C-alpha cells in the first residue's frame, strides 16, 4: 500500500507542477506559493468535516502532534528559502540536480530522527534513483557555478529531508488528512503577510482562479497520498519513489512534445527504474 500511495503522490505532484508552470506566467512566485496552500484549504475543510461527521476522524489535540507540525513548517520554510536563494545565485540547470539529493540526506537523517533503519538493498535503490534524477535533470551551462549557490542548494536538500522526517512522525500521531490540513493551514498563514504586500492580492488571484482551484485540489491529493505513504514506508523510500514525477515529466516531454536528448534521458530512466524496483522489492 505504501508503494502505491507514494507513486500516486508522484502522479499528483506532476499534475500540480503543470498547473504551477501555467500559473507562473500570470502571478509572482510568492503569490503562487501562498495560493497553492490557501486554495487547498476549502477542500481540506470539506473533507475533514465530512470525515468527522461520519466518525472516521478525530481532531488531534496532542502536544506532540502540534510540535511536529511546527517543526515541519519551520524546516519547510527554511528549505524553500534556501532553494530560492540558490536559484537566484545560479542557473536552474545547475541547481536542479543538487536539489535532488534529499533522499541521500534522508539515509542519515531518517534513522537519527524517526528511528527507521534502511537496509542495504533499500540504500542501493535510493542511490540509483538519485543518480537517475541527477542525470535526468542535468543541463550543462557555462558560468553557472558559485559556491554560495551550492551551499544554499545543499541546505535546501538537507531541510527537505528533515521535513520528510517530521512528516513521517506526524502521521504516526494523527491521520494523513488532519496532518495535511494542519500543515497546509500553518504554511498559508506564514506566507500570507508576504503575499499581501503586493497590494492587489484579490485581483491577481482572480485572473487565474480556475487554475488555482484545480491546483488546490491536486495539492490536497498529493499531500494526503504522500502522508499516507509515510505511514507505511520509511521516509527515504517515499522521497525516492516521489522522484517518479521527474520520470513522468520526461516521458511526457518526449512523447507529447517531441523533446530531444533522448539517449541520456533513457539511461537516466533505466537507473531510476532499477532503483525504484529495488525499493519496491524491499517494501513488499
Amino acid at each position: 500500500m505504501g508503494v502505491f500511495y507514494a507513486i500516486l503522490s508522484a502522479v499528483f505532484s506532476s499534475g500540480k507542477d503543470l498547473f504551477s508552470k501555467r500559473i507562473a506566467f500570470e502571478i509572482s512566485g510568492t503569490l503562487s506559493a501562498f495560493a497553492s496552500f490557501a486554495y487547498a484549504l476549502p477542500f481540506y475543510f470539506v473533507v475533514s468535516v465530512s470525515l468527522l461527521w461520519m466518525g472516521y476522524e478525530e481532531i488531534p489535540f496532542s502536544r506532540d502532534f502540534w510540535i511536529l507540525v511546527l517543526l515541519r513548517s519551520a524546516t519547510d520554510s527554511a528549505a524553500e528559502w534556501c532553494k530560492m536563494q540558490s536559484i537566484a545565485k545560479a542557473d536552474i540547470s545547475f541547481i536542479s540536480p543538487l536539489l535532488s539529493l534529499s533522499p541521500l540526506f534522508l539515509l542519515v537523517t531518517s534513522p537519527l530522527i524517526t528511528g527507521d533503519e534502511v537496509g542495504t538493498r533499500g540504500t542501493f535503490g535510493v542511490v540509483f534513483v538519485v543518480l537517475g534524477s541527477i542525470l535526468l535533470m542535468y543541463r550543462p551551462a557555462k558560468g553557472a557555478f558559485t559556491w554560495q549557490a551550492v551551499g544554499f542548494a545543499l541546505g535546501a536538500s538537507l531541510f527537505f529531508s528533515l521535513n520528510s522526517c517530521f512528516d513521517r512522525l506526524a502521521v504516526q500521531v494523527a491521520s494523513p488528512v488532519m496532518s495535511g490540513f494542519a500543515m497546509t493551514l500553518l504554511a498559508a498563514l506564514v506566507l500570507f503577510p508576504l503575499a499581501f504586500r503586493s497590494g492587489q492580492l484579490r485581483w491577481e488571484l482572480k485572473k487565474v482562479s480556475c487554475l488555482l482551484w484545480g491546483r488546490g485540489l491536486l495539492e490536497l491529493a498529493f499531500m494526503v497520498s504522500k502522508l499516507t505513504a509515510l505511514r507505511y514506508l520509511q521516509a527515504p523510500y517515499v522521497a525516492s519513489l516521489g522522484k517518479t514525477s521527474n520520470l513522468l515529466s520526461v516521458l511526457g516531454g518526449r512523447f507529447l512534445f517531441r523533446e530531444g536528448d533522448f539517449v541520456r534521458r533513457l539511461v537516466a530512466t533505466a537507473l531510476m527504474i532499477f532503483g525504484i524496483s529495488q525499493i519496491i522489492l524491499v517494501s513488499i
Side-chain angles (χ1 to χ4, degrees):
M1 289 298 291
V3 172
F4 169 75
Y5 281 112
I7 294 176
L8 190 63
S9 72
V11 174
F12 289 131
S13 177
S14 294
K16 193 161 66 81
D17 287 345
L18 290 174
F19 273 83
S20 294
K21 288 177 183 178
R22 176 64 183 85
I23 291 167
F25 292 107
E26 304 292 339
I27 60 178
S28 69
T30 300
L31 195 55
S32 178
F34 164 72
S36 69
F37 299 116
Y39 278 74
L41 288 174
F43 295 111
Y44 270 113
F45 180 78
V46 171
V47 172
S48 299
V49 169
S50 299
L51 292 174
L52 285 168
W53 181 71
M54 291 186 288
Y56 291 116
E57 288 283 2
E58 294 181 358
I59 298 175
F61 290 108
S62 74
R63 184 184 65 177
D64 290 345
F65 171 74
W66 290 104
I67 289 174
L68 289 169
V69 169
L70 287 171
L71 288 171
R72 196 265 183 194
S73 177
T75 53
D76 193 23
S77 299
E80 288 295 337
W81 182 80
C82 286
K83 178 181 175 181
M84 294 306 167
Q85 289 295 317
S86 65
I87 291 173
K89 296 178 184 299
D91 292 349
I92 189 66
S93 58
F94 175 74
I95 292 302
S96 293
L98 295 175
L99 295 174
S100 297
L101 297 178
S102 59
L104 289 185
F105 281 105
L106 274 165
L107 293 176
V108 177
T109 57
S110 182
L112 291 174
I113 296 175
T114 69
D116 291 330
E117 295 295 333
V118 181
T120 303
R121 172 176 268 182
T123 299
F124 275 115
V126 171
V127 170
F128 273 99
V129 170
V130 171
L131 288 175
S133 297
I134 292 173
L135 184 60
L136 200 63
M137 292 186 288
Y138 175 69
R139 299 287 186 279
K142 296 180 179 179
F145 180 88
T146 69
W147 282 111
Q148 274 191 324
V150 171
F152 279 121
L154 292 177
S157 288
L158 174 60
F159 283 120
F160 277 128
S161 74
L162 295 174
N163 183 298
S164 294
C165 290
F166 295 130
D167 279 349
R168 166 81 165 150
L169 293 174
V171 291
Q172 310 306 317
V173 180
S175 73
V177 172
M178 288 300 177
S179 298
F181 194 179
M183 294 167 183
T184 302
L185 176 60
L186 192 58
L189 291 174
V190 168
L191 287 172
F192 177 73
L194 297 175
F196 190 73
R197 284 183 186 179
S198 64
Q200 292 184 316
L201 182 62
R202 288 182 60 186
W203 167 248
E204 292 294 314
L205 296 178
K206 189 176 181 180
K207 290 193 300 183
V208 286
S209 60
C210 291
L211 292 172
L212 291 174
W213 284 117
R215 188 179 62 172
L217 182 59
L218 287 172
E219 172 67 29
L220 177 145
F222 158 71
M223 183 60 80
V224 172
S225 299
K226 176 191 170 185
L227 293 174
T228 303
L230 284 167
R231 274 198 157 183
Y232 299 100
L233 294 178
Q234 293 95 325
Y237 294 164
V238 174
S240 298
L241 291 170
K243 298 300 179 185
T244 309
S245 60
N246 296 332
L247 192 57
L248 295 173
S249 298
V250 167
L251 291 175
R254 171 61 180 174
F255 294 108
L256 295 178
F257 304 110
R258 303 298 178 187
E259 294 178 352
D261 206 8
F262 190 59
V263 174
R264 176 173 59 81
R265 296 181 182 187
L266 189 63
V267 173
T269 300
L271 289 173
M272 290 184 70
I273 290 175
F274 177 76
I276 289 169
S277 68
Q278 297 309 298
I279 293 172
I280 291 174
L281 288 173
V282 171
S283 305
I284 60 177

